[in-house]
């Protein structure tokens, strides 16, 4: 209960709840359309989705300043790759929120002459760049962990006097030194890498959640920019899943990827 009280007191938490409700409405509207629901009901769901979207934009006023502050902190990271990915991601988020504020002003009637289509396209482009940087950072962290795990396994094998795991490096029958054995060797090596990746993600829940959340979010700007048409059903489902994961990281801060 204490965790929920802390969660509900955050403006970011309220925005995440609105986001989850918005994409749930998008998913519900798509399901109603496929099953031939009445036009009036579909119209009400679309209106609710529009109101939730406008409410989210209001809650995100000022988030550009927060993103810029996060970028300033990320500049001091010691790891060059992390510094670049996180800083560029936060800068793109700041621009995304700035475009979102302009859109809010246009939709609320404060700036009726705003070209909403143009600003929406700009907003989603910055959102896409931010997600690409986030996924690049996730891939880099996964690579580091895989290298550490491989080195640790090698040290354990050397200490115990064992050979390479599974005899991969041995040029025995079916090995890389045997004609026609290169493909099975490659398949075995790929299988071991996949198992290592699964073990690393299972052992690092914050990294796993960040990968899934960013991958789900990626479908939204791809669809809105016309780069990969997914349809409202996929967009609604991916947005709902990523929103639930974001809410989970707010309720359980230890699940948030750091730095």
């Amino acid at each position: 209960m204490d965790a929920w009280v802390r969660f509900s007191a955050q403006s970011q938490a309220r925005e995440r709840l609105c986001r989850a409700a918005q994409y749930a409405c998008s998913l519900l509207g798509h399901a109603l359309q496929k099953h031939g629901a009445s036009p009036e009901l579909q119209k009400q769901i679309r209106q609710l989705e529009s109101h939730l979207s406008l409410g989210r934009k209001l809650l995100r006023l000022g988030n550009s300043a927060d993103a810029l502050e996060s970028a300033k902190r990320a500049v001091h990271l010691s790891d060059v790759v992390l510094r670049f990915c996180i800083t560029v991601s936060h800068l793109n988020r700041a621009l995304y929120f700035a475009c979102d504020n302009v859109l809010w002003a246009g939709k609320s009637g404060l700036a009726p002459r705003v070209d909403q289509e143009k600003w929406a396209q700009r907003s989603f482009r910055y959102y896409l760049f931010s997600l690409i940087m986030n996924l690049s950072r996730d891939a880099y962290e996964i690579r580091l962990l895989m290298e550490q795990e491989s080195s640790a396994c090698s040290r354990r094998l050397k200490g115990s006097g064992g050979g390479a795991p599974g005899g991969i490096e041995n040029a025995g029958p079916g090995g890389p030194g045997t004609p026609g054995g290169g493909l099975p060797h490659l398949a075995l090596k790929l299988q071991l890498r996949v198992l290592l990746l699964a073990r690393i993600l299972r052992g690092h829940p914050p990294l796993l959640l960040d990968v899934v959340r960013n991958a789900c979010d990626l479908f939204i700007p791809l669809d809105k920019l016309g780069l990969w048409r997914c349809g409202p059903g996929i967009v609604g489902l991916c947005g709902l899943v990523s929103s639930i994961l974001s809410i989970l990281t707010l309720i359980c801060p230890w699940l948030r990827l750091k730095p």
Side-chain angles (χ1 to χ4, degrees):
M1 182 60 70
D2 291 339
W4 175 256
V5 170
R6 290 195 302 271
F7 168 77
S8 59
Q10 303 176 57
S11 60
Q12 187 180 7
R14 291 190 287 272
E15 190 271 331
R16 294 297 177 181
L17 286 173
C18 285
R19 187 179 193 265
Q22 176 191 342
Y23 284 110
C25 287
S26 177
L27 184 59
L28 178 61
H30 176 70
L32 291 173
Q33 185 179 9
K34 285 191 66 176
H35 290 85
S38 65
E40 183 63 28
L41 179 58
Q42 294 183 42
K43 181 181 177 182
Q44 290 177 354
I45 294 297
R46 285 195 299 269
Q47 287 177 344
L48 177 58
E49 181 185 353
S50 177
H51 292 327
L52 288 168
S53 176
L54 190 61
R56 282 183 59 215
K57 286 176 170 52
L58 177 61
L59 290 172
R60 288 189 297 196
L61 290 176
N63 278 14
S64 291
D66 293 336
L68 287 174
E69 284 298 319
S70 298
K72 285 170 61 178
R73 290 193 296 269
V75 168
H76 302 289
L77 292 173
S78 57
D79 191 295
V80 177
V81 177
L82 287 180
R83 182 166 68 237
F84 174 77
C85 290
I86 297 175
T87 302
V88 173
S89 173
H90 284 311
L91 290 176
N92 277 283
R93 283 181 65 246
L95 293 169
Y96 161 66
F97 287 132
C99 293
D100 207 51
N101 294 341
V102 174
L103 281 171
W104 174 81
K107 291 184 176 181
S108 63
L110 294 177
R113 296 184 180 181
V114 167
D115 188 341
Q116 295 189 22
E117 181 63 26
K118 180 180 73 175
W119 282 97
Q121 291 293 303
R122 288 178 179 174
S123 172
F124 283 116
R125 277 198 294 270
Y126 291 128
Y127 185 33
L128 178 60
F129 293 151
S130 176
L131 290 172
I132 290 173
M133 287 294 102
N134 289 341
L135 287 169
S136 300
R137 176 259 183 101
D138 292 336
Y140 175 70
E141 297 224 19
I142 289 172
R143 192 182 73 109
L144 289 181
L145 290 170
M146 290 180 72
E147 289 177 352
Q148 292 173 7
E149 185 69 19
S150 297
S151 299
C153 287
S154 298
R155 287 195 298 269
R156 285 197 297 268
L157 287 168
K158 288 179 181 178
S160 61
I168 294 178
E169 296 179 358
N170 297 329
T178 305
L183 190 59
H185 169 74
L186 183 62
L188 179 59
K189 189 174 182 180
L190 180 61
Q191 183 182 5
L192 289 173
R193 298 295 287 182
V194 171
L195 290 173
L196 179 59
L197 174 62
R199 185 167 62 186
I200 284 171
L201 290 177
R202 188 170 62 246
H204 297 81
L207 182 56
L208 174 60
L209 261 63
D210 200 66
V211 170
V212 175
R213 187 182 64 183
N214 288 323
C216 288
D217 280 338
L218 193 64
F219 288 97
I220 300 171
L222 287 176
D223 181 79
K224 299 298 183 182
L225 292 171
L227 300 175
W228 187 9
R229 292 296 184 184
C230 310
I234 298 297
V235 170
L237 178 62
C238 290
L240 180 59
V241 170
S242 67
S243 300
I244 292 173
L245 293 179
S246 296
I247 291 170
L248 187 60
T249 59
L250 289 174
I251 295 175
C252 305
W254 65 273
L255 288 173
R256 183 179 299 180
L257 187 63
K258 297 179 181 64

